[in-house]
Amino acid sequence: MRTETAVTIRREDYEPYPFDIPHIRLEFDLAPERTEIRASFEVIRKKGIDRLQDLVLDGESLHLQSISIDGNPLTHDQYRLMPDQLIIEGLPDQATLSIHAWCNPSENSSLMGLYVSGRSLFTQCEAQGFRKIMWFADRPDVMAEYHVTLRADRNLYPVLLSNGNLISQSDLESGRHEACWHDPFPKPSYLFALVAGSLSCREHRIITRSGRPALLQVYSDPGSEHQTAWAMESLERSVRWDESRFGLELDLDRFMIVAARDFNMGAMENKGLNIFNAAYVLADPDTATDANFSAIEAVIGHEYFHNWTGNRVTCRDWFQLSLKEGLTVFRDQEFSADMMARGLDGHAAMSARSVKRIDDVVTLRASQFPEDSGPMAHPIRPESYQEIGNFYTATVYEKGAEVIRMMHTLLGEQGFRAGMDEYFRRHDGQAVTCDDFVNAMEWALQQQHPEKNLEIFRHWYSQAGTPRVKVSLHADAASSSLTVTLKQSCERVGVEKNSGIQKHPYHIPFAMGLIDEEGKPVLLHHHSLASGAPSETVLLELTENEQSWTFENIPLGVTPSLLRDFSAPVIVEFDYTAEQLARLSSHDSNPFTRWESGQELATREILRQASHWRATGACMEISPVLISAIQSLMQDPNLDAAYRARTLALPVEKTIVERMEQMDPLSVAMARRHVRLALGRELASDWERLLAENQPEGSYSPDPVSAGRRALKNLALSYLMAAGQTHTKSIAQQQYVHATNMTDRMAALTTLVHESTAHQAGEWLTHFYERWQHDPLVIDKWFALQATAPHATVATIKGLMAHPAFTLRNPNRARALIFQFCMNNAMGFHAEDGSGYDFWAELVLELDAINPEIAARFARVMDHWRRYVPGSSKRMCSALERVSAHAELSRNVDEIVSKSLSL
C-alpha cells in the first residue's frame, strides 16, 4: 500500500548483481493455507566485488523460519529482515545459503507468486512474483540451474509439475507423494513455475528434427480434456514451424501447457511449463468462436517461441523487455500468417497473409498509437519506471514487433535468418540487451552491404511517439518524371514534453507504388534503390528529416499507393481526394493498401457525420463515393471471403476518435451507427447475396477459409440488422437456434441484443445463460455482450455485477464486464451525466484492493482525459483526482493516475 514515495528506477543506473547463484534447490510441502518452502543455493561473490558488499535478497509476504550458511544457523543479529528484502552481511566469497519459509497461497488475490485457483495451486513469477515464493535475487540477469522437489497430499494434488525434465516420482507416508524436477538450462527466477492439482492430461509424442523423442502435454481441469485438442494441434504446429522457419528445436524431454481459470495475463512462457489463461487453451466448436481458435493458436505459438527468444536468451534487465516480447510477437505474427496461408498458393496465399497483417495493424492503431500520444508514452526500451508491471504495454509488444519487422524488411528473409543465427551463436544462455540483438542484425546486414549500418535505426529503441511522414509529389510533364518527397517529424510525448529532448530522425523503410488513372500498376525504378528490374513496389529508406527520389517515365495523373503492407509504424500525411481513395480501394494491387484506402474513406465519412451531429443533433445522407467503393469491394469476384470481411467492416470507434482534435466518443458512436444503417439499406441486395452465398457447408472447421466465409456471412447479417430489414430478425433468430458452432450463435445473438431494446434482448440472453451457465469461458462472452450493448448503462453493469456468476477476483470475468463497458461502450461509459466516470473510480479502487496489476490496467482507461470535449474532460479529471486521493492506493495504480494527472 502507498506508505512511501514511489521510487523511480532508471535504465542508466543498472549495475550487475554482485554475486553469482549458479544452482538452487527448492523443496515445497504444498498446502493451500500454509506451504512450506526450503531453498538451498550456492552464492559466489564476483571477482572485484568488495567483501563488505552485503547479499541483498528480494522477498514479500513470506514468513521466515530459519536461515543458515554452510549448515550453520544464523541468529537474528546476523541478518536484517525488511518488508521486501533480506540482507545478510559478511558473507564469505563462496557459501551455501539455506532458507526455510512459508507462505499462504489462499490469501494471495494478486495472482502473483504462489496462489490458489479452484482446487489447484499455480505460480506466476514474471515480472517480480518469485519474491513471494522465496527470498532470492529476483532479477532477470541472475540465472541459475533449478532442482525442484514438490510434496503434497496425493488425493488433493495428484499432479505435481515444475520446470524442465521429470527426474523421479514416489509415494510417501500418510497419503503424500513427491515429484522431483530438474531444468538443465540456467534461467532467471521469473521463469520458475510449479503447478499442483487434480488435472486431466492430453499427450502427444513427437520426434524432433534431429531425431530426438519428446513428449507434449496439455493439462486442464477434469472434464475439459475434450476441449484441448486444438491446443495440442497448435503446439505441434508451433514446434514444427520453429524448426523449419528458424532452425530452432525443442530442447527438453517434454513441453507442458497448463490451463488456469484465474490468471492475470494471456499466458506465461516458464521454461518447459507454460501456464495459460484457460481462455487460450480450451476450445471446441460448441463453446469457442473462430476468433478464440485463432487466438489460441497465436498465443500457444507465442509462448512456445519464447523457449528460445526469451528463455534460452533472456533480457538483462526489465528495460530490455521488448528484446524478448517484441521479437516473439513478430515471430507469432509470422507463424499465424503462415498458418493462414497454409495449403494456399499465389494470390490466395498473399490474401491470407494480408488478412493477418490487417488484423495486426488494427490492434496496433487501437491500442499502441493512443499510448504513444498519452501520459504513459515510452520508447520500446523505456528509460525509467516505478512499477514494471505497468510496462507490459502495447508499445513494448506490438510496436516492438513492428521494429523487428522493419529489420526483417531491411535485411530480407535470408539476411534476417542469418542475424537470428548469429544472435543465438553469440548469446545462447545469456541475459542480454536490445543493443545485443541489433548488433547481430547489423552484422548480418553488413555481410550483404558492408557500407550500411543500423545506427540511425537504433533511435526506434530510445525515442517515444509515432513518427509522421508527410508525402508530397511533383510531376514534371516535360520529362515525364515524378519526384517523391518524404518529410518526417515526431513530437515530444509523455515525459519528453518537459525535458527539452532533441528528437533524432528515424530510419523508416517506406514501401510505395503508383497506379495510373485506370487503376493499373506503374513500374518504378531509381538508381539509389536495390539493383534489378523496375517493380510495382519500391522500398524507400528515409533516414533524414527530408529526402526526395525522382522516378522517370511516369504518366500523368498517377495515384500513390503509400506505406504498402504497413512497412513502418508511422502516420502518413497525404492529401488524397475521395476519388483517389476510391480508385486505390477498387484497384490497388497491394491488398493492405487497398484495405487501408477503404478504411480512410469510411473514417472521413464518419468524422463528417459526427461533426454534423454535434452541430445539429442529426446526421446527413452518406457520401455516394463511399457507397460505390463498398459496393465495388462487395462485387469483386477475385477477393476471398476473409479479406472481403475486413475491407467491408467499418473502422473501430477508438481509431476514429483518435483522429479528433477534441475527442467526442458519443458523436462518433452515433455517426458510425448511422453509416452502418445507411450502408445496410443502400446495399441491402448485395448484403443478402453475401449472406446467402456464404452459408455453412459441412461440419465446422476453424481453418482460415471456412472462418472467412463465416466472418463475411455474419458481417452481412449485422449490416442488414442495423438497417432494420424486416425479415432479417427472423434470419438471426433462426441462425441462433440452429447454429452448429459458437461463432454463428454468438454472431446471431450479438445482432439480436445490440439491435433490440434491453427488454427484447432479455429472452435470448436468458436462454443463452441457461444453456451455457456451467462453462465459465462462454459466460464471459455473455457478460461482454451485455457490457457492449448500446443500451447498457452503469445501472445495467451494476445489476450484472450482482449476478451470482460475477466476481471481481477473476480477471477474465472483470475484463469481460467492467473493462468491456468502460473501454468499448461509448454510449454507456461516456454518458453526459458522468456516471460512467464515477463508476470507473469506484471499480479502480475496489479492484486495487484485490489485484493491483489488474487495477492498473483498468486505470489506463482515462489516459487521454485531457483530449476529450470540455464537459467530459472535467468530469474525468474529477474521477482521477478521487482515485489519486485514496490513502491506500497501490504503487501500480498510483503511477498510472499520477502520470495521467501531471502530464
Side-chain angles (χ1 to χ4, degrees), residues 6 18 88 203 362 374 427 537 549 592 697 745 750 786 827 847:
I88 301 174
E203 295 186 344
V362 168
H427 301 299
T537 300
W549 295 261
F592 179 87
E697 297 177 359
R745 182 169 286 109
T750 299
Q786 295 174 85
M827 303 291 287
L847 266 174

Side-chain angles (χ1 to χ4, degrees), residues 753-822:
V753 171
H754 284 202
E755 304 300 336
S756 306
T757 65
H759 177 74
Q760 293 170 330
E763 176 186 352
W764 298 102
L765 288 167
T766 299
H767 179 274
F768 187 89
Y769 180 81
E770 289 177 350
R771 179 169 179 180
W772 300 107
Q773 59 184 300
H774 300 299
D775 190 310
L777 297 179
V778 177
I779 297 306
D780 286 338
K781 296 177 173 63
W782 182 78
F783 276 112
L785 173 58
Q786 295 174 85
T788 54
H791 46 69
T793 64
V794 168
T796 307
I797 305 306
K798 287 185 174 180
L800 287 165
M801 289 178 67
H803 192 282
F806 184 79
T807 172
L808 271 181
R809 297 178 73 89
N810 178 269
N812 284 358
R813 196 57 43 94
R815 283 187 282 256
L817 185 60
I818 64 171
F819 280 51
Q820 285 292 329
F821 176 73
C822 295

Side-chain angles (χ1 to χ4, degrees), residues 474-484 550-556:
H474 175 72
D476 187 330
S479 62
S480 297
S481 66
L482 179 74
T483 299
V484 178
T550 298
F551 300 96
E552 308 296 336
N553 301 316
I554 305 298
L556 293 175

Side-chain angles (χ1 to χ4, degrees), residues 185-475:
F185 298 97
K187 65 173 178 286
S189 56
Y190 83 85
L191 292 172
F192 170 79
L194 74 79
V195 173
S198 178
L199 301 167
S200 297
C201 180
R202 178 185 294 273
E203 295 186 344
H204 180 59
R205 296 186 182 276
I206 63 168
I207 302 297
T208 67
R209 188 178 63 166
S210 66
R212 198 170 47 79
L215 176 64
L216 307 181
Q217 296 177 307
V218 179
Y219 289 88
S220 61
D221 289 338
S224 64
E225 53 269 26
H226 66 286
Q227 296 179 296
T228 61
W230 178 255
M232 178 61 80
E233 293 170 17
S234 299
L235 177 57
E236 183 171 8
R237 284 193 292 271
S238 302
V239 173
R240 299 306 184 197
W241 183 85
D242 219 14
E243 288 179 337
S244 63
R245 181 77 181 265
F246 288 101
L248 301 174
E249 188 174 292
L250 175 60
D251 53 1
L252 292 166
D253 295 341
R254 68 176 68 202
F255 191 90
M256 299 168 284
I257 286 174
V258 185
R261 295 289 185 179
D262 301 278
F263 203 72
N264 283 342
M265 302 181 292
M268 177 59 208
E269 72 267 19
N270 318 295
K271 182 68 177 178
L273 177 58
N274 287 187
I275 300 177
F276 273 64
N277 188 319
Y280 295 100
V281 176
L282 304 180
D284 61 38
D286 289 336
T287 60
T289 64
D290 291 334
N292 296 142
F293 277 95
S294 177
I296 288 169
E297 183 177 63
V299 175
I300 284 178
H302 180 95
E303 304 307 332
Y304 175 77
F305 303 146
H306 264 313
N307 187 56
W308 282 89
T309 51
N311 296 4
R312 287 286 288 261
V313 183
T314 195
C315 47
R316 184 195 71 180
D317 53 70
W318 291 121
F319 298 103
Q320 319 297 330
L321 183 58
S322 198
L323 171 78
K324 71 184 187 76
E325 295 301 348
L327 176 56
T328 306
V329 169
F330 167 75
R331 277 160 41 78
D332 83 51
Q333 290 175 350
E334 286 295 287
F335 167 67
S336 294
D338 284 348
M339 293 304 100
M340 293 185 75
R342 186 178 48 170
L344 304 176
D345 54 21
H347 180 80
M350 182 176 71
S351 178
R353 290 187 63 85
S354 295
V355 167
K356 174 59 180 167
R357 190 71 184 122
I358 288 167
D359 291 347
D360 292 338
V361 173
V362 168
T363 298
L364 183 82
R365 286 175 171 164
S367 59
Q368 197 281 318
F369 275 22
E371 187 169 87
D372 247 351
S373 62
M376 286 294 289
H378 58 277
I380 65 170
R381 183 186 59 202
E383 294 299 324
S384 65
Y385 63 80
Q386 293 172 11
E387 285 294 322
I388 185 56
N390 289 338
F391 280 82
Y392 283 74
T393 60
T395 297
V396 165
Y397 282 69
E398 274 70 38
K399 186 174 182 178
E402 293 298 320
V403 171
I404 300 296
R405 184 175 295 277
M406 286 189 288
M407 281 189 271
H408 181 274
T409 298
L410 291 169
L411 273 73
E413 174 65 19
Q414 185 176 351
F416 187 81
R417 171 63 189 274
M420 289 286 285
D421 291 346
E422 180 68 8
Y423 174 61
F424 293 120
R425 188 191 68 78
R426 294 180 182 186
H427 301 299
D428 188 11
Q430 299 176 15
V432 300
T433 68
C434 294
D435 285 325
D436 291 316
F437 181 82
V438 179
N439 289 342
M441 288 295 155
E442 187 172 58
W443 172 89
L445 176 66
Q446 292 176 341
Q447 303 309 298
Q448 303 170 321
H449 306 285
E451 75 284 2
K452 291 189 175 183
N453 62 58
L454 294 176
E455 285 307 305
I456 295 174
F457 189 88
R458 293 173 195 269
H459 294 153
W460 285 103
Y461 284 88
S462 59
Q463 297 182 157
T466 304
R468 293 176 176 269
V469 178
K470 184 175 183 180
V471 182
S472 58
L473 306 180
H474 175 72

Side-chain angles (χ1 to χ4, degrees), residues 14-193:
Y14 169 82
E15 292 183 1
Y17 194 65
F19 299 89
D20 288 323
I21 305 178
H23 303 278
I24 180 171
R25 292 185 177 274
L26 293 168
E27 297 182 24
F28 291 84
D29 285 285
L30 297 162
E33 295 181 352
R34 184 181 175 114
T35 287
E36 303 278 347
I37 311 116
R38 291 173 174 81
S40 176
F41 48 92
E42 186 180 10
V43 181
I44 303 172
R45 191 182 304 273
K46 290 180 177 177
K47 291 181 180 180
I49 299 297
D50 193 319
R51 293 203 64 181
L52 297 178
Q53 177 77 56
D54 297 339
L55 176 68
V56 179
L57 303 175
D58 304 299
E60 293 179 14
S61 305
L62 295 171
H63 304 271
L64 181 63
Q65 297 297 96
S66 65
I67 313 175
S68 65
I69 295 178
D70 294 331
N72 300 309
L74 299 187
T75 59
H76 292 293
D77 60 350
Q78 292 179 292
Y79 62 86
R80 283 181 285 154
L81 184 60
M82 319 284 280
D84 58 0
Q85 287 183 334
L86 174 62
I87 302 173
I88 301 174
E89 303 172 351
L91 196 72
D93 287 347
Q94 185 167 346
T96 298
L97 183 65
S98 299
I99 304 175
H100 176 199
W102 67 272
C103 65
N104 186 341
S106 65
E107 290 186 348
N108 185 5
S109 65
S110 71
L111 308 185
M112 292 291 291
L114 180 64
Y115 66 93
V116 175
S117 176
R119 297 181 179 179
S120 298
L121 293 169
F122 295 89
T123 56
Q124 171 58 33
C125 293
E126 188 176 359
Q128 297 175 336
F130 189 80
R131 62 190 62 190
K132 292 188 174 186
I133 295 172
M134 175 50 62
W135 280 283
F136 196 67
D138 192 14
R139 45 188 287 168
D141 59 347
V142 177
M143 302 176 71
E145 186 178 331
Y146 280 69
H147 296 259
V148 178
T149 300
L150 307 177
R151 303 185 187 96
D153 185 308
R154 177 180 284 280
N155 289 328
L156 293 177
Y157 304 112
V159 174
L160 300 174
L161 308 175
S162 192
N163 308 86
N165 299 319
L166 179 63
I167 304 304
S168 65
Q169 298 181 89
S170 59
D171 290 329
L172 305 174
E173 295 179 352
S174 303
R176 295 173 65 77
H177 70 136
E178 74 173 21
C180 299
W181 295 81
H182 172 228
D183 185 354
F185 298 97
K187 65 173 178 286
S189 56
Y190 83 85
L191 292 172
F192 170 79

